Structure formats: structure tokens, C-alpha cells
Amino acid sequence: MSTHTAPFPDWHGTTILAVRKAGKTVIAGDGQVSMGQTVVKGNARKVRTLAGGRVVAGFAGATADAFTLIERLEAKLEQYPDQLARACVDLAKDWRTDRYLRRLEAMLIVADKDAIFTVTGVGDVLEPESGVAAIGSGGNYALAAARALMDTDLDAEAVARKAMAIAAEICVYTNGSLTVEVL
């Protein structure tokens, strides 16, 4: 049971997975949004391209909050072109210190052709060791599946799609309606 005290219902339902393999980077996100035990939308788009298609971001959490963060990230990418790590660190710093941003409830996975980062509101900017990162309610299922599939002959997109399918079979807050962006 949620201890969240906001007057809004407890929204669930996101799995975002990033896979980097053999020079190819993929972010996949499912489309399910749930309110309590009810699926309220099955085809939400939680993965976006940024910076003229050079960066991909996926979000989990409150949608309006995530859009605010993505807009801020885009501004940072304009300020620091081709410096994804610096843009993410600057966003995380602002997110942690700005009174308005501190209240936002979302997480991001951001990637370019060279790196993947998980960005959180507590100041984390984490780059995965294994080339795989995941967030959201089905994130741990997708992460485990993708890590197991990394040693196969599947390419990055195939790993992401198969891992997301596995997560959708296990997590009731994840569905098979995917948005997949490839760099």
C-alpha cells in the first residue's frame, strides 16, 4: 500500500529498458498506465527522441513531471551539445536543489550512441556496468531478462524486445505495446 499523501490515485505501470550492444543503443518502453487495479491506457508513449535524434529518453513516474524533466534535459543538451553526461549531471543537480523540481516524481533513462544513464531526483546519474539499465514497476524483470540475453547472438533491439516481452508476462503493470527507439 502506498504511503503517498497526495490526493491523486496511485498510478502504476511503466517498464523502461535500455540496452547497448555491439555499438547499437536501444530504449524500449511499454504502453500501460494503470490506476490501482485498472488499466486506464494501453498505448502510452514513454520513450522520446531528443537533440535532433541523437539522444533517446524514457521515463517512469508521473507523466507531467517526466515531461517537465525531459524539457529541462533538452535545454541542458542545447547548453552542452554532444555532452550527455554533463547535461544529465546538471539536470540531476538542478532536480535535487530546485524547490519546484524536488517535488517531481519521475525517473529517466537517457542514452546516446555511447552511453546510458539513469537519472533520479535524489541526484543519481548512474551508468550501468553491463550495458543494460531499467526503471519502472517491471524494470527489474526486464533488467534480469536483458542481462541473461546479452550473451546470445541477439542484437540490442532483439534483446530489448524479448526482455520486455518477458517483463510483460510477469509484471501486471507492464504490457506488450512497445515504443522502441534505436541509435
Side-chain angles (χ1 to χ4, degrees):
M1 176 156 254
S2 175
T3 59
H4 188 41
T5 59
F8 297 102
D10 196 11
W11 294 83
H12 289 285
T14 299
T15 301
I16 304 294
L17 173 67
V19 176
R20 191 160 171 276
K21 183 177 178 183
K24 192 173 178 183
T25 302
V26 176
I27 294 185
D30 81 310
Q32 183 168 310
V33 177
S34 303
M35 183 174 65
Q37 297 176 358
T38 304
V39 175
V40 293
K41 184 168 179 140
N43 63 346
R45 186 170 165 79
K46 304 170 199 171
V47 178
R48 304 270 192 263
T49 57
L50 311 171
R54 294 185 317 273
V55 173
V56 178
F59 63 85
T63 305
D65 292 355
F67 285 157
T68 299
L69 292 168
I70 286 174
E71 287 174 9
R72 296 282 181 125
L73 178 60
E74 281 193 290
K76 297 295 182 186
L77 290 167
E78 287 175 15
Q79 186 178 358
Y80 307 115
D82 300 319
Q83 296 181 58
L84 182 60
R86 184 171 182 182
C88 288
V89 168
D90 223 39
L91 174 65
K93 182 179 72 170
D94 289 353
W95 192 354
R96 184 174 166 87
T97 59
D98 182 273
R99 179 179 289 200
Y100 167 72
L101 293 178
R102 265 197 317 252
R103 299 176 195 270
L104 300 182
E105 296 180 5
M107 290 180 72
L108 300 174
I109 288 185
V110 182
D112 64 10
K113 62 182 177 60
D114 299 315
I116 297 169
F117 298 102
T118 301
V119 186
T120 73
V122 294
D124 295 321
V125 178
L126 304 169
E127 186 172 14
E129 293 177 352
S130 61
V132 179
I135 58 174
S137 54
N140 286 336
Y141 305 117
L143 178 67
R147 284 178 133 188
L149 294 167
M150 289 295 280
D151 290 334
T152 67
D153 292 336
L154 298 175
D155 69 1
E157 184 174 353
V159 167
R161 287 183 181 278
K162 189 161 180 79
M164 290 294 288
I166 291 167
E169 290 176 3
I170 299 168
C171 179
V172 297
Y173 296 114
T174 302
N175 71 13
S177 177
L178 300 181
T179 301
V180 178
E181 295 289 346
V182 181
L183 295 174

